Amino acid sequence: MSRPQRSHVTSPATARQIARERAVTAANYHPLPVVLAAGAGEWLTDIEGRRYLDLMSAYSAVSHGHAHPRLVRALTDQASRLATASRAFHAQALAPFLEKLVGLAGLGEGSKALPANGGAESVETAIKAARRWGYRVKGIAAGHAEIVVARHNFHGRTTTIVGFSSDDDYRADFGPFTPGFRHFDFGDINSLAAAITDRTCAVLIEPIQGEAGIIVPPAGFLAAARRLCDERNVLLILDEIQSGLGRTGRMFAFEHEGIRPDGLILGKALGGGLLPVSCFIARREVIDQFDAGSHGSTFGGNPLAAAVGLAALQVIEDEGLIARSATLGAHLLARLRSIESPLIRDVRGRGLWVGVELDTTRVRAGTVVEHLLVQGVLTKDTRDRVIRFAPPLVIERAALDWGIDTFAQVLARLQSQNQPGPVLRRAPAETLV
Ligand SMILES: *Cc1c(COP(=O)(O)O)cnc(C)c1O
């Protein structure tokens, strides 16, 4: 492992590139001041040749690491044969991919998949499926189906999905919104029970809330939600776009509680870090509500995506990435918990997916992230409170340890600068462009 050089000096080339990008890019993101040019495994390189350890994996889309050779080969092989055909025709690559995926999900005899591209598209698929099931199977009065969602959920950015977000940044002035959603407090089974009515067709949740700050519900919550949904004749639909495919130390996070959902939404890592590939998989009775013309996507399930998706699933198995996530994840959690810093309020997570919540009266998470960047470690805070640790599952143990050491050092330095003093907001100006 060759370590990144430990300086991040202001550079005209980097500043120029950032200005160019800003001039032509909508301001809907606030990127850290680094301009990436290449990646391999858990390492990224910027345009100046500086190396960084990736502790975020593009929100879990890069669980396989950057430019995984086998995935790049699957991509280029398929691209040179047939990349896009549309679902107007059958294509050779689709069945093997979905056979594998539906088999892994294990949602029962006759369960099937509907492929799409970005994750939000498959959340939309799930919403449509749940509503049709509600009207056609459960017998909810036309136009009255409701879906119960958690407060502080994150399911994507379409107008329907942001309509049931509890985050004002996501919603402000984007209305009017799609009706038919009710909220409950994540992790609170009584709150969930109270939100379900005779009109409820589905409960849609993340098994662990990602963007909310890596919120792990109390043990038994998912199993209790499963029982409740069975009792009330309501579908349980899990959004495992971020938690799925090994991230939590199991193939799917629902396995931790020995349950099966009625519908499962996958994305992010399903594209092997190379392409947007997402999918909604459901039990027969749910997925069979779709008939010809009821839903579609021009690129959804294209041969290129199918070939890469299949290879992505095979790599997870062949390289033992799930066991790796469990083992290295336990190590990560234990090491982060052992850091003694008054700046830390909580450390939580599962597998290679850990959030460190900071005391924001003393330091902002954004500040820590900027200092980490300077030291050659890339991650991103969520909600300016929580630092996320979600490295590629292929990460070497030594690299992970170096990342943790660097984090501990950054916290120690910030703490010594911060006594008593005001809240630290930025990395030293000279270190950032
Ligand atoms: C990222 C994410 C989405 C949205 O996926 P996109 O590919 O950005 O549309 C939905 N749900 C969860 C849990 C996510 O983490």
Side-chain angles (χ1 to χ4, degrees):
M1 184 184 88
S2 90
R3 285 164 182 185
Q5 59 191 82
R6 294 172 151 256
S7 69
H8 189 94
V9 283
T10 306
S11 121
T14 292
R16 232 177 3 254
Q17 198 64 31
I18 289 172
R20 269 180 78 183
E21 186 179 302
R22 275 198 191 133
V24 290
T25 315
N28 60 323
Y29 279 92
H30 182 58
L32 288 162
V34 57
V35 182
L36 299 173
E42 68 270 44
W43 296 101
L44 287 159
T45 309
D46 73 8
I47 54 169
E48 323 251 357
R50 287 183 294 241
R51 278 167 39 98
Y52 300 86
L53 180 65
D54 184 357
L55 288 186
M56 202 193 91
S57 318
Y59 307 94
S60 229
V62 186
S63 285
H64 299 77
H66 297 277
H68 191 291
R70 188 164 155 197
L71 299 183
V72 171
R73 209 174 320 118
L75 178 91
T76 53
D77 285 356
Q78 187 64 45
S80 60
R81 246 175 308 151
L82 178 66
T84 307
S86 90
R87 299 283 308 280
F89 312 105
H90 296 279
Q92 190 182 26
L94 187 55
F97 169 47
L98 296 185
E99 279 166 9
K100 179 82 188 164
L101 191 57
V102 166
L104 285 170
L107 303 192
E109 186 70 24
S111 59
K112 297 187 188 86
L114 197 160
N117 311 288
E121 289 173 66
S122 286
V123 175
E124 293 278 352
T125 306
I127 291 168
K128 284 186 176 179
R131 286 178 170 175
R132 271 212 170 164
W133 176 89
Y135 300 125
R136 296 180 177 186
V137 178
K138 183 167 176 173
I140 298 169
H144 288 287
E146 288 178 348
I147 295 175
V148 172
V149 295
R151 291 199 176 85
H152 307 297
N153 67 73
F154 183 81
H155 297 288
R157 303 292 203 148
T158 68
T159 43
T160 289
I161 294 171
V162 298
F164 61 82
S165 167
S166 12
D167 188 325
D168 212 46
D169 288 347
Y170 298 171
R171 293 164 52 90
D173 292 332
F174 293 138
F177 297 116
T178 314
F181 296 92
R182 285 167 72 95
H183 289 86
F184 79 101
D185 293 323
F186 186 68
D188 178 344
I189 196 69
N190 295 324
S191 170
L192 178 59
I196 292 174
T197 72
D198 291 344
R199 295 173 167 193
T200 309
C201 59
V203 170
L204 167 63
I205 46 176
E206 304 155 78
I208 293 175
Q209 288 191 320
E211 297 312 293
I214 312 184
I215 309 294
V216 183
F221 171 72
L222 273 189
R226 174 71 276 179
R227 279 194 300 277
L228 189 59
C229 286
D230 288 341
E231 283 161 23
R232 309 285 289 270
N233 192 25
V234 168
L235 302 175
L236 177 63
I237 297 178
L238 295 181
D239 179 348
E240 294 230 29
I241 289 173
Q242 201 164 156
S243 61
L245 304 179
R247 177 53 59 190
T248 70
R250 297 287 180 96
M251 182 60 94
F252 304 110
F254 63 70
E255 295 171 35
H256 290 286
E257 298 216 343
I259 62 149
R260 298 277 160 189
D262 302 296
L264 175 65
I265 309 165
L266 298 173
K268 292 198 167 118
L270 193 55
L274 299 178
L275 286 174
V277 184
S278 72
C279 210
F280 175 61
I281 307 159
R283 288 201 293 114
R284 184 207 305 264
E285 186 183 275
V286 179
I287 202 76
D288 282 357
Q289 300 310 318
F290 288 113
D291 44 12
S294 59
H295 196 39
S297 159
T298 302
F299 285 97
N302 68 74
L304 189 60
V308 171
L310 176 60
L313 296 172
Q314 287 166 339
V315 164
I316 291 173
E317 288 185 340
D318 295 351
E319 297 190 7
L321 295 187
I322 297 172
R324 226 185 143 70
S325 175
T327 309
L328 285 180
H331 175 68
L332 172 66
L333 191 64
R335 282 214 53 199
L336 289 172
R337 284 194 169 144
S338 74
I339 297 175
E340 283 188 25
S341 169
L343 302 182
I344 294 179
R345 286 190 53 180
D346 191 27
V347 180
R348 56 193 176 237
R350 205 155 233 187
L352 276 174
W353 198 25
V354 178
V356 176
E357 184 165 341
L358 300 170
D359 179 351
T360 55
T361 64
R362 308 179 70 136
V363 69
R364 300 194 139 299
T367 304
V368 174
V369 155
E370 288 177 356
H371 282 262
L372 285 170
L373 164 73
V374 171
Q375 299 303 323
V377 172
L378 292 186
T379 187
K380 183 83 175 164
D381 58 286
T382 162
R383 317 230 159 170
D384 212 18
R385 268 188 302 118
V386 180
I387 308 289
R388 56 178 117 212
F389 292 81
L393 307 185
V394 297
I395 192 169
E396 292 293 338
R397 191 185 178 101
L400 183 63
D401 277 327
W402 177 79
I404 299 164
D405 291 343
T406 304
F407 175 65
Q409 284 156 15
V410 161
L411 286 190
R413 198 164 323 130
L414 284 171
Q415 189 201 333
S416 64
Q417 290 171 15
N418 175 232
Q419 280 187 349
V423 174
L424 277 158
R425 286 180 193 281
R426 297 199 58 83
E430 72 276 11
T431 61
L432 292 169
V433 292

